[in-house]
């Protein structure tokens, strides 16, 4: 599977598209003026307690106070508070905890008021970005991620990613991690660590410790709401999380950012430098790689599947609802049961893609086409689980209910990617809307294919708005010429200035309209 990372960089922010075999599977957008990304460390102050929730509201510089629950403080809250006090008072020169005396762990059944007090300064980590009218959600069980390891202060254990299946490799990594780690730090071996040498692992651990040291130094002079430790770019975070996969190309359109990314990759993964490219074309980078067109096709309320079926995606305050519709294109020879299963399987793969692409979180309810055969139900669930196996967000898939519904819970840590794909109609000036203009040409060609398959016409006439006529006739290798070569059907294109922008009609040799 060929992975490509396309980064559209501008003064306002960056847009990152992950393509797999040229198909868009993830889209990230970062506004440089925004703050509070997942994993960032901030210095906050306790503002008030919510006794009935066993939680506190923390001022971290956001317009709304952040939320911290007792269960998200971790068992080593006393040690973290002690470390924070020492760093603020200048008693720590680095993040080395070799001689740091750990405090007694807290109980899971404790109260937050026993560990924190109003006005206390605390070091917190962003667990969930601000969403809608809510401030960030925080935790105090800190973790510092690297390329191969995640470092967790104040614990002694070493664990290995469950995705590494070989027991021999798991033991090798665990023994290496134990030999490399310093006292009072725990380590989690990431999936990307599989097969890596001791030298690679040691280098990564040194870089993590360097980041932690810098965080402690930053904490000394920090004020309330100051960023103590954070990622420089969302694209760097995406790259680091995807390092277990191979890339065929990483492309950006900004020279300064290209040099910055090149330096980052040399330190992080030198083998990726050779696939890093600077885009110099005149056309916008997302248009050149077909990303803009895919965005228009994939972010609407209705998402088409191959052969006629389609999805309807609806959003409510509490959950997302996805309805699978069969269309009317059942293949010859297929029974109704087989056709329903095939449509459901194709829909399951597209739904897995849509969840990643839109970063949909919370509760997702899917209404598949009814299946009566228990084996078909099991096969569909297996296909859905397999399609979502590459999803980095934590998720749970429940078995299909007796009403044919599948429920999914998916981790929600940042606002959902929501892009408007309809356009204001130039004819009614905003009173109504039309489908995205970038899709009209595809729709016309799909109709042409249906006409060619269902009839013996050798000569057709397509009448459109003048703008579309000019577009189709542009260049020597224009659309009529390509359609003749591809479908062996001559298509004459004419314009009618009375047509609205997206209107078109096909006519046969007798000038009678062809209605499908």
């Amino acid at each position: 599977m060929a992975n490509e990372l396309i980064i559209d960089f501008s003064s306002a922010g960056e847009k990152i598209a992950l393509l797999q075999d040229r198909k868009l599977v993830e889209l990230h957008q970062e506004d440089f003026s925004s703050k509070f990304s997942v994993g960032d460390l901030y210095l906050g102050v306790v503002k008030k307690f919510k006794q009935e929730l066993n939680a506190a509201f923390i001022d971290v510089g956001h317009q709304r106070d952040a939320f911290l629950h007792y269960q998200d403080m971790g068992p080593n809250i006393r040690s973290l508070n002690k470390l924070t006090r020492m760093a603020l008072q200048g008693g720590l020169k680095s993040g080395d905890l070799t001689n740091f005396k750990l405090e007694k762990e807290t109980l899971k059944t404790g109260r937050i008021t026993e560990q924190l007090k109003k006005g206390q300064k605390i070091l917190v980590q962003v667990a969930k970005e601000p969403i809608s009218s809510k401030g960030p959600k925080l935790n105090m069980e800190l973790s510092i991620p690297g390329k191969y390891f995640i470092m967790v202060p104040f614990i002694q254990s070493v664990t290995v990613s469950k995705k590494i299946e070989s027991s021999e490799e798991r033991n090798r990594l665990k023994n290496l991690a134990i030999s490399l780690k310093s006292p009072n730090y725990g380590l989690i071996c990431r999936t990307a660590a599989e097969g890596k040498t001791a030298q690679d692992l040691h280098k990564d651990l040194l870089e993590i410790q360097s980041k932690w040291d810098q965080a402690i130094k930053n904490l000394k002079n920090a004020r309330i709401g100051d960023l103590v430790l954070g990622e420089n770019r969302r694209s760097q975070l995406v790259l680091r999380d995807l390092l277990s996969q191979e890339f065929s190309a990483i492309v950006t359109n900004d020279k300064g950012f290209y040099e910055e990314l090149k330096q980052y990759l040399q330190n992080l993964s030198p083998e990726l430098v050779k696939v890093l490219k600077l885009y110099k074309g005149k056309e916008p980078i997302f248009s050149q790689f077909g990303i803009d067109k895919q965005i228009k096709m994939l972010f609407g309320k209705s998402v088409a599947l191959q052969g006629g079926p389609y999805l309807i995606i609806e959003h409510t305050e509490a959950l997302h609802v996805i309805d699978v519709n069969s269309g009317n294109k059942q293949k010859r020879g297929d029974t109704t049961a087989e056709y329903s299963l095939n449509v459901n399987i194709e829909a399951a793969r597209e739904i897995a893609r849509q969840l990643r692409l839109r970063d949909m979180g919370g509760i997702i309810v899917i209404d598949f086409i009814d299946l009566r055969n228990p084996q078909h139900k099991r096969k569909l669930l297996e296909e859905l689980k397999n399609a979502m196996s590459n999803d980095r967000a934590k998720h749970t898939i429940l078995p299909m209910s007796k009403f044919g519904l599948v429920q999914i819970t998916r981790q929600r840590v940042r606002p959902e990617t929501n892009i408007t794909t309809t356009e204001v109609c130039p004819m009614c000036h905003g009173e109504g809307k039309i489908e995205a203009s970038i899709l009209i040409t595809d729709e016309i060609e799909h109709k042409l294919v249906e006409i060619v398959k269902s009839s013996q016409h050798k000569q057709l006439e397509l009448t459109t708005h003048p703008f579309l006529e000019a577009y189709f006739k542009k260049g020597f290798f224009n659309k009529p010429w390509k359609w003749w070569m591809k479908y062996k059907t001559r298509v004459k294109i004419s314009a009618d200035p009375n047509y609205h922008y997206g209107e078109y009609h096909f006519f046969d040799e007798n000038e009678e309209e062809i209605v499908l």
Side-chain angles (χ1 to χ4, degrees):
M1 185 177 291
N3 292 308
E4 298 172 282
L5 200 68
I6 313 301
I7 306 167
D8 183 7
F9 187 91
S10 69
S11 58
E14 58 181 333
K15 293 189 291 186
I16 308 132
L18 174 63
L19 306 180
Q20 289 181 346
D21 295 331
R22 294 283 177 171
K23 293 178 69 175
L24 181 65
V25 294
E26 288 187 24
L27 182 68
H28 304 268
Q29 301 183 83
E30 182 187 16
D31 182 350
F32 291 152
S33 62
S34 63
K35 299 170 63 179
F36 307 104
S37 296
V38 174
D40 288 351
L41 300 185
Y42 280 87
L43 179 65
V45 62
V46 180
K47 291 295 292 292
K48 59 183 178 181
F49 295 101
K50 201 75 171 175
Q51 296 278 10
E52 62 271 26
L53 298 178
N54 200 15
F57 287 97
I58 314 297
D59 180 7
V60 289
H62 190 264
Q63 59 185 0
R64 292 186 177 272
D65 290 337
F67 183 79
L68 174 65
H69 193 275
Y70 178 81
Q71 296 293 334
D72 295 321
M73 294 169 66
N76 295 293
I77 180 62
R78 294 191 180 110
S79 296
L80 177 58
N81 284 339
K82 177 182 175 181
L83 178 85
T84 304
R85 285 195 306 271
M86 292 174 65
L88 290 171
Q89 295 167 2
L92 289 177
K93 304 298 181 184
S94 70
D96 184 17
L97 300 182
T98 302
N99 299 318
F100 184 86
K101 185 179 179 181
L102 298 180
E103 298 296 312
K104 185 178 178 181
E105 292 187 358
T106 57
L107 299 174
K108 290 184 178 180
T109 55
R111 304 296 299 175
I112 195 167
T113 50
E114 296 171 356
Q115 307 303 329
L116 301 178
K117 61 183 180 180
K118 190 175 180 180
Q120 180 179 345
K121 295 179 179 179
I122 56 175
L123 182 61
V124 293
Q125 189 165 35
V126 177
K128 184 183 290 187
E129 295 178 10
I131 297 175
S132 186
S133 60
K134 298 178 181 179
K137 186 180 179 183
L138 309 174
N139 71 61
M140 295 183 72
E141 197 165 10
L142 308 185
S143 59
I144 314 299
K147 181 180 177 182
Y148 303 128
F149 290 120
I150 297 175
M151 189 179 76
V152 184
F154 314 120
I155 68 172
Q156 310 294 344
S157 62
V158 171
T159 58
V160 181
S161 168
K162 293 179 180 179
K163 291 184 179 181
I164 299 176
E165 298 178 353
S166 168
S167 57
E168 183 179 344
E169 178 64 7
R170 292 174 65 87
N171 290 331
R172 182 186 78 91
L173 289 173
K174 188 168 185 177
N175 291 331
L176 275 173
I178 292 172
S179 66
L180 291 173
K181 85 178 194 70
S182 302
N184 297 330
Y185 290 108
L187 289 177
I188 301 171
C189 299
R190 308 185 73 172
T191 309
E194 187 172 10
K196 301 302 177 183
T197 65
Q199 184 179 1
D200 291 332
L201 299 176
H202 187 224
K203 180 182 177 182
D204 183 54
L205 189 55
L206 290 177
E207 290 176 359
I208 298 173
Q209 289 174 336
S210 175
K211 289 198 291 186
W212 175 245
D213 285 343
Q214 188 60 50
I216 298 301
K217 292 175 182 176
N218 293 341
L219 191 57
K220 179 181 177 181
N221 300 313
R223 298 179 180 179
I224 301 302
D226 280 357
L227 177 66
V228 175
L229 180 67
E231 294 288 341
N232 294 328
R233 293 276 189 270
R234 176 67 60 85
S235 54
Q236 295 176 0
L237 187 148
V238 172
L239 271 170
R240 191 192 65 205
D241 288 346
L242 291 172
L243 280 175
S244 58
Q245 304 180 30
E246 294 184 358
F247 284 93
S248 59
I250 301 172
V251 188
T252 184
N253 58 349
D254 183 84
K255 188 173 183 180
F257 183 58
Y258 167 82
E259 295 296 338
E260 181 182 328
L261 201 57
K262 185 177 181 180
Q263 184 63 43
Y264 177 77
L265 289 174
Q266 284 175 340
N267 295 327
L268 187 71
S269 190
E271 66 273 12
L272 288 179
V273 175
K274 63 183 179 183
V275 301
L276 178 63
K277 301 173 184 176
L278 176 63
Y279 176 72
K280 299 179 180 179
K282 293 182 180 180
E283 190 176 2
I285 187 171
F286 268 27
S287 295
Q288 175 66 28
F289 285 88
I291 298 169
D292 281 335
K293 190 171 185 178
Q294 291 194 56
I295 289 173
K296 293 288 187 182
M297 293 174 65
L298 296 170
F299 276 88
K301 177 181 175 181
S302 176
V303 178
L305 305 176
Q306 287 187 352
Y310 58 96
L311 307 176
I312 297 294
I313 303 176
E314 296 276 9
H315 308 273
T316 70
E317 184 68 25
L319 51 81
H320 305 279
V321 181
I322 303 177
D323 184 30
V324 181
N325 290 273
S326 62
N328 55 1
K329 298 293 177 105
Q330 182 170 338
K331 294 180 180 178
R332 291 181 180 176
D334 279 357
T335 64
T336 301
E338 289 172 341
Y339 178 70
S340 297
L341 175 62
N342 292 334
V343 171
N344 279 337
I345 288 175
E346 185 182 352
R349 293 167 182 163
E350 182 59 35
I351 287 168
R353 178 189 181 192
Q354 287 287 330
L355 297 184
R356 286 179 68 186
L357 188 59
R358 304 187 189 211
D359 206 2
M360 294 162 62
I363 301 173
I364 299 104
V365 179
I366 307 169
D367 184 9
F368 284 105
I369 301 170
D370 289 343
L371 297 175
R372 298 185 181 278
N373 189 324
Q375 291 182 343
H376 287 181
K377 291 181 179 181
R378 285 194 294 270
K379 185 174 182 179
L380 173 60
L381 203 63
E382 289 172 4
E383 288 287 346
L384 182 59
K385 289 179 179 178
N386 184 56
M388 291 190 66
S389 61
N390 291 327
D391 194 336
R392 301 194 306 279
K394 295 179 182 178
H395 59 270
T396 302
I397 304 173
L398 299 181
M400 183 178 287
S401 73
K402 63 180 180 180
F403 300 112
L405 303 177
V406 173
Q407 297 178 64
I408 300 174
T409 59
R410 187 175 183 273
Q411 184 184 27
R412 183 182 184 186
V413 296
R414 57 179 58 92
E416 178 186 340
T417 303
N418 191 13
I419 297 174
T420 301
T421 59
T422 53
E423 299 173 357
V424 176
C425 176
M427 305 307 294
C428 62
H429 305 290
E431 291 298 322
K433 289 188 176 180
I434 60 172
E435 286 301 312
S437 57
I438 198 172
L439 303 181
I440 292 175
T441 56
D442 283 354
E443 182 182 318
I444 290 174
E445 185 158 358
H446 290 157
K447 287 282 179 66
L448 174 62
V449 172
E450 290 184 33
I451 292 171
V452 170
K453 286 182 177 179
S454 62
S455 63
Q456 300 297 319
H457 297 294
K458 296 297 181 182
Q459 177 86 29
L460 296 172
E461 181 174 355
L462 169 64
T463 305
T464 71
H465 185 277
F467 285 172
L468 282 174
E469 181 213 24
Y471 173 78
F472 283 138
K473 290 183 175 180
K474 185 175 104 174
F476 180 77
F477 295 105
N478 51 38
K479 282 291 185 182
W481 187 87
K482 290 180 180 178
W483 287 342
W484 163 249
M485 296 298 294
K486 193 172 182 180
Y487 307 116
K488 303 305 178 187
T489 300
R490 298 187 185 278
V491 182
K492 177 185 175 183
I493 299 179
S494 59
D496 188 331
N498 295 316
Y499 280 15
H500 65 69
Y501 185 68
E503 186 178 0
Y504 63 91
H505 298 279
F506 280 99
F507 299 90
D508 61 17
E509 301 91 334
N510 301 318
E511 298 185 356
E512 294 182 1
E513 184 178 354
I514 302 173
V515 180
L516 296 176

